[in-house]
Amino acid sequence: MTHKLIRTPVLEIAYTETGPDDGPPVILLHGFPDDIHAYDNVAPPLAAEGWRVLLPYLRGYGPTRFLSTETPRSGEQAALGLDLLDFMDALQIETAILGGYDWGGRAACVVAALRPERTRALMSINGYNIQNIAAALEPASPAQELRHWYQWYFNTERGRAGLAANRHELCKLLWRMWSPNWNFSDDAYNTTAASFDNPDFVEVVIQSYRHRHQNAPGDPAMAPIEALLAAQPKITVPAIVLHGEADGVGPAASSENHVQHFTRTYERRVIPVAGHFLPNEAPEAVVKAIVDLGWRS
């Protein structure tokens, strides 16, 4: 698969696609710290089933670039969701199955919640991923606060400097901590880590983790969308939630009660052994979820 480029109002988005041009579209989005190689073993079997599989690099990753130096380098959830909608508009995709995890799952949940007419169905890893920023100052359990050490680090200037100077080593540490049963190779990691050399990676990441904890302003253009997300909107399309049993940053138990956020056909599947980087660790589970959603929607 070779990279393609498409322009939206804000970005030049790099992406790959595979499968028949006239196949039903499925858009799969990566998280932090990752890139589209998360779906290396997901896209081919879906394409063989007749799906048109699109894999965009998020803002701040890989070859994706901002069009203007004036655009805030925001990683907030409203921006990620709008990027996904803009991507669909640029490619004239009216409706698609949306899927993702971490940041990508958040973008997919945002679009599914606010624009259900554009969402055929949703595959969300880790559950309902729309942030409740109003509750961001409420402490979590000590164990969860420990798991989020990197977020507190990024909320300091030392953390910004550390990410800039040690991004490859730091992100590799997160891979090991969040997916303790995944024996990834150095070559696999290095292939993905090249995406972290994007010139906007550090600023987008830092803004994302500061904004969600009310320590950084958002992009003013995103304020109307953030206002809608503050209401924790329900997701009204068919959905399958996947959660790795060994997720080292968001334990499987954290999504047990997420059914309350969904109003249509909903199923939650806990995947044994897999951790946070589930598409890499259990690609067959992701493929099955997409195929099952295709039958249900």
Side-chain angles (χ1 to χ4, degrees):
M1 294 183 289
T2 57
H3 293 151
K4 297 183 177 182
L5 298 172
I6 192 76
R7 286 201 169 198
T8 71
V10 172
L11 299 171
E12 183 172 70
I13 296 178
Y15 69 102
T16 65
E17 67 174 297
T18 187
D21 292 342
D22 60 352
V26 55
I27 304 173
L28 300 175
L29 301 117
H30 66 85
F32 163 84
D34 208 347
D35 75 354
I36 66 170
H37 291 288
Y39 297 101
D40 279 355
N41 293 313
V42 173
L46 286 176
E49 292 270 355
W51 294 89
R52 179 189 179 193
V53 185
L54 299 109
L55 308 174
Y57 288 88
L58 299 185
R59 55 170 57 199
Y61 293 80
T64 291
R65 295 290 186 272
F66 287 88
L67 299 179
S68 171
T69 59
E70 302 301 316
T71 303
R73 273 35 179 181
S74 170
E76 65 192 279
Q77 59 184 351
L80 300 176
L82 185 57
D83 288 346
L84 174 53
L85 273 176
D86 287 344
F87 178 71
M88 295 174 70
D89 288 345
L91 291 173
Q92 299 182 327
I93 296 173
E94 287 301 315
T95 185
I97 288 184
L98 306 179
Y101 78 97
D102 199 273
W103 288 27
R106 185 159 301 118
C109 283
V110 167
V111 174
L114 299 185
R115 297 295 301 274
E117 76 280 5
R118 305 294 299 274
T119 311
R120 179 175 169 186
L122 172 71
M123 187 280 298
S124 180
I125 297 171
N126 302 121
Y128 182 83
N129 277 316
I130 296 175
Q131 295 161 345
N132 186 355
I133 294 176
L137 300 183
E138 297 176 8
S141 69
Q144 189 58 44
E145 300 282 28
L146 176 62
R147 295 184 191 103
H148 282 169
W149 68 269
Y150 66 101
Q151 298 190 20
W152 319 137
Y153 184 52
F154 292 160
N155 272 263
T156 69
E157 285 306 297
R158 182 185 178 107
R160 180 199 295 272
L163 180 62
N166 304 309
R167 70 190 74 186
H168 287 205
E169 183 180 358
L170 192 157
C171 293
K172 191 172 188 179
L173 174 64
L174 296 180
W175 277 34
R176 289 173 175 152
M177 296 180 72
W178 296 355
S179 287
N181 298 323
W182 181 27
N183 295 317
F184 59 88
S185 68
D186 287 342
D187 286 346
Y189 175 75
N190 291 335
T191 296
T192 290
S195 284
F196 311 153
D197 292 326
N198 182 297
D200 298 304
F201 175 77
V202 171
E203 290 306 308
V204 170
V205 169
I206 293 298
Q207 196 280 342
S208 174
Y209 287 104
R210 293 186 182 185
H211 178 266
R212 69 183 66 186
H213 295 296
Q214 303 182 31
N215 287 329
D219 178 349
M222 299 299 120
I225 301 175
E226 288 290 352
L228 295 173
L229 298 176
Q232 297 286 275
K234 304 285 189 183
I235 290 175
T236 61
V237 302
I240 291 177
V241 161
L242 304 179
H243 210 137
E245 185 180 47
D247 193 314
V249 65
S254 64
S255 66
E256 285 179 348
N257 298 321
H258 284 197
V259 63
Q260 64 184 306
H261 297 290
F262 298 84
T263 65
R264 287 279 300 279
T265 306
Y266 170 84
E267 183 181 354
R268 176 176 174 268
R269 302 173 180 175
V270 176
I271 310 304
V273 182
H276 188 70
F277 298 95
L278 197 149
N280 262 310
E281 300 174 76
E284 68 285 348
V286 177
V287 171
K288 186 176 189 322
I290 298 299
V291 171
D292 289 349
L293 285 170
W295 283 105
R296 297 177 188 181
S297 57

